[in-house]
């Protein structure tokens, strides 16, 4: 069922946000995309975004008709503020507070706040984010409660009625692959495998059965394990 609404998808070029984009295209009449340049080491993900958009357009004519403008915002301040393994050359490690040093404090809070400001201008009520607290790295800004609280704050602060959609919140990585299959068949799974970027180190030299990446950073490990479980359950 298509809802006669417009959505803005936070679209980084990774597996999760690409799956969310397909989910939104299957559901909403007009879908725009938003990416952020914040000094991430894996800025290669931004190059994947336009290729993915084109591939999704080619996959389904009705998706091509719905896919609207792409937006990219530069948040250099986030990279300048953050001392993390995602925004500088440092080894990925656990910190004393139990969070990996790939956690960029405030990132999703800022992303959604900017997304809401853009959606306000574009007359869009639905914000779609690929956050998930099922199979994740423990980032507190991916939690369902964070998203619900942020939705309340944004609506109070902008006197609006935004809804933050989080279709992956309760899915593990294997279920995220299965959702892609449900939305766009084997062709969508293949497109996500080939064109999305997940690796924290920005490595795209080596092709594994689950896609490109270094194979050993936490993001690659999650993606590889999810792919293996998805394939095992498909047989
Ligand atoms: Zn990696």
């Amino acid at each position: 069922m298509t809802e006669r609404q417009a959505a803005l998808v936070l679209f980084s070029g990774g597996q999760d946000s690409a799956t969310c984009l397909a989910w939104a295209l299957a559901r909403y009449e007009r879908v725009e995309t938003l990416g952020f340049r914040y000094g991430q080491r894996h800025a290669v993900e931004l190059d994947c975004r336009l290729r993915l958009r084109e591939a999704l357009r080619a996959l389904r004519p009705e998706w091509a008709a719905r896919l609207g403008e792409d937006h990219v915002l530069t948040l250099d301040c986030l990279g300048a503020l953050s001392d993390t393994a995602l925004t500088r050359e440092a080894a990925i490690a656990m910190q004393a507070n139990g969070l990996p040093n790939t956690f960029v404090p405030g990132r999703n809070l800022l992303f959604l706040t900017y997304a809401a400001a853009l959606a306000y201008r574009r007359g869009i009520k639905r914000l779609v984010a690929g956050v998930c607290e099922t199979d994740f790295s423990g980032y507190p800004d991916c939690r369902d409660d964070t998203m619900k609280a942020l939705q309340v704050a944004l609506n109070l602060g902008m006197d609006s009625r935004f809804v933050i959609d989080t279709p992956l919140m309760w899915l593990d990585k294997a279920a995220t692959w299965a959702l892609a299959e449900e939305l766009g068949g084997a062709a969508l799974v293949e497109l996500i495998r080939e064109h999305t970027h997940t690796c924290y180190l920005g490595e795209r030299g080596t092709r594994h059965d689950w896609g490109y990446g270094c194979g050993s950073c936490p993001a690659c490990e999650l993606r590889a394990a999810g792919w293996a479980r998805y394939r095992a359950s498909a047989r």
Side-chain angles (χ1 to χ4, degrees):
M1 195 184 72
T2 309
E3 295 180 38
R4 296 177 58 82
Q5 290 193 55
L8 177 64
V9 179
L10 280 83
F11 179 53
S12 68
Q15 176 191 352
D16 292 346
S17 69
T19 306
C20 284
L21 178 51
W23 179 88
L25 288 168
R27 179 172 300 250
Y28 297 122
E29 248 182 10
R30 176 166 61 94
V31 178
E32 301 189 3
T33 50
L34 171 62
F36 295 95
R37 191 178 293 282
Y38 60 96
Q40 64 267 55
R41 283 168 80 181
H42 55 300
V44 64
E45 69 179 5
L46 296 171
D47 302 333
C48 296
R49 297 174 72 258
L50 295 179
R51 278 199 297 278
L52 275 162
R53 279 176 48 98
E54 284 317 305
L56 285 166
R57 264 188 219 282
L59 196 67
R60 295 256 168 113
E62 67 269 31
W63 290 2
R66 290 174 186 168
L67 186 56
E69 269 186 50
D70 181 44
H71 313 266
V72 176
L73 295 176
T74 300
L75 295 185
D76 285 338
C77 52
L78 188 56
L81 274 170
S82 305
D83 184 18
T84 77
L86 277 203
T87 49
R88 67 182 168 87
E89 294 290 325
I92 296 171
M94 286 305 283
Q95 306 176 119
N97 64 1
L99 282 173
N101 63 352
T102 48
F103 173 58
V104 182
R107 182 177 61 169
N108 286 346
L109 306 179
L110 287 169
F111 282 4
L112 277 150
T113 303
Y114 280 97
L118 175 63
Y120 190 97
R121 191 188 85 202
R122 305 285 301 160
I124 295 174
K125 295 290 183 206
R126 295 269 170 177
L127 307 174
V128 184
V131 289
C132 163
E133 70 166 85
T134 305
D135 205 1
F136 74 144
S137 305
Y139 299 160
D141 59 350
C142 291
R143 291 185 300 205
D144 194 46
D145 285 352
T146 306
M147 290 298 126
K148 288 192 161 75
L150 195 55
Q151 179 176 300
V152 172
L154 292 170
N155 284 327
L156 286 174
M158 297 191 200
D159 194 18
S160 193
R161 292 303 298 165
F162 295 114
V163 176
I164 301 179
D165 284 323
T166 56
L168 310 185
M169 184 59 76
W170 308 112
L171 304 183
D172 65 16
K173 291 288 177 196
T176 300
W177 285 111
L179 175 61
E181 188 182 331
E182 193 185 310
L183 290 165
L188 180 60
V189 172
E190 185 49 36
L191 189 160
I192 289 174
R193 199 152 71 114
E194 188 64 26
H195 294 299
T196 63
H197 183 83
T198 294
C199 177
Y200 280 154
L201 306 183
E203 168 74 53
R204 283 192 77 75
T206 310
R207 173 70 153 80
H208 309 268
D209 56 352
W210 43 266
Y212 294 93
C214 73
S216 54
C217 75
C220 281
E221 281 178 354
L222 263 180
R223 177 162 167 155
W227 174 257
R229 284 201 312 279
Y230 162 68
R231 292 300 295 160
S233 65
R235 284 195 188 108

